[in-house]
Amino acid sequence: PSAEMITLMWSFIVSIYSIGGLLGSSSAGYLSVRFGRKQAMLFSNIPALLGAALMGLSRLCGSFEMIVAGRLFSGVCGGKLAFLPVYAGEISPKKLRGFINVTSKVFLALGKTVARILGLRELLGSQSLWPMLMASCGLPALVQLVALPFFPESPPYLLMHKGDQEGCKKAIRQLWGEGQHQAEIDDIMKEKATMKNTKILSVLELVKEPAFRWQLYMIVILTATIQLCGINAV
């Protein structure tokens, strides 16, 4: 193929990940409520493993289309990362909740750093090993797929969305040990009562709501300008 066609193919491979991320994040809220935090996280491993397999076998099959499809599936999984901080925050004790929520961002940054190091030509970024590099994204998904079934469902989800008070207590004891956890359960019940009187806005309604206009401006500006701070170069 010509140089222009190679550039077009490469650009499409790079950008298709963001399209997958948009698809994944758009369905994250529905799936986390419909199936629960734990089940939704388990489901998110399917596109990750499928994407890793497609990209890892692309050279053997001589198909760049497999890389495009693999990147799309990987993006879908990346868009569903919203499950992780929600689940981690809900299963952690109140005194550790802020710390646990921050760790997800730390490990996300650490994962990007490790990926960039592995992508060096001296490691897995060579002409012979790049399929292994692209397939390596399936390893964390495989670990989560094996380990996550041993974790309980989120106690707030069981109580607030399923009305399963016994299941909530059992999950709390499994996570935090035996002891008096009635105060935490009461807090969840208060939150449930508050949510009954709170309207959940869609994205379009959120954009149209004047009360949130300045908050939206700040978020958009911060998200846009963070791309210019040099962190990607670092």
Side-chain angles (χ1 to χ4, degrees):
S2 64
E4 291 79 7
M5 180 57 67
I6 291 176
T7 301
L8 179 63
M9 290 160 51
W10 176 251
S11 302
F12 195 61
I13 288 172
V14 172
S15 60
I16 197 72
Y17 182 89
S18 299
I19 297 176
L22 177 63
L23 296 175
S25 60
S26 299
S27 59
Y30 168 77
L31 292 176
S32 65
V33 174
R34 176 69 175 82
F35 298 103
R37 297 8 174 179
K38 176 183 170 181
Q39 292 294 333
M41 289 175 64
L42 284 171
F43 290 153
S44 69
N45 293 312
I46 296 175
L49 292 171
L50 184 58
L54 286 170
M55 292 187 291
L57 296 173
S58 60
R59 182 176 182 179
L60 184 64
C61 298
S63 171
F64 81 91
E65 292 89 352
M66 291 176 66
I67 303 179
V68 175
R71 288 277 295 172
L72 178 66
F73 285 120
S74 296
V76 171
C77 175
K80 296 186 184 302
L81 283 175
F83 298 143
L84 179 59
V86 173
Y87 180 72
E90 289 182 348
I91 67 173
S92 58
K94 183 183 292 186
K95 61 182 180 180
L96 296 176
R97 195 162 297 160
F99 171 75
I100 295 298
N101 283 332
V102 170
T103 57
S104 63
K105 302 297 182 182
V106 173
F107 281 106
L108 182 62
L110 180 63
K112 290 182 178 181
T113 304
V114 171
R116 290 179 183 276
I117 293 173
L118 291 177
L120 295 174
R121 294 185 184 275
E122 292 79 8
L123 297 176
L124 297 181
S126 62
Q127 188 172 353
S128 59
L129 295 179
W130 66 261
M132 188 181 301
L133 173 66
M134 300 192 77
S136 64
C137 63
L139 183 60
L142 186 61
V143 171
Q144 188 184 75
L145 194 64
V146 172
L148 193 58
F150 296 98
F151 286 75
E153 181 56 89
S154 161
Y157 172 79
L158 290 172
L159 189 57
M160 295 171 62
H161 295 278
K162 294 295 184 182
D164 186 359
Q165 190 164 350
E166 288 302 316
C168 174
K169 292 179 179 179
K170 182 180 178 181
I172 288 177
R173 287 194 298 268
Q174 185 177 347
L175 289 165
W176 306 341
E178 298 294 336
Q180 294 296 325
H181 303 297
Q182 189 59 43
E184 286 81 0
I185 295 175
D186 291 341
D187 287 342
I188 298 173
M189 292 297 294
K190 291 178 183 177
E191 186 177 351
K192 181 179 180 180
T194 302
M195 286 184 63
K196 284 184 178 179
N197 301 321
T198 304
K199 180 184 177 182
I200 304 299
L201 300 178
S202 67
V203 175
L204 186 60
E205 289 173 332
L206 181 63
V207 172
K208 291 181 177 180
E209 178 58 51
F212 301 126
R213 194 65 48 80
W214 280 105
Q215 291 92 324
L216 279 174
Y217 289 159
M218 292 175 64
I219 291 172
V220 170
I221 291 172
L222 284 172
T223 306
T225 54
I226 199 172
Q227 304 300 322
L228 307 175
C229 72
I231 188 64
N232 291 330
V234 173

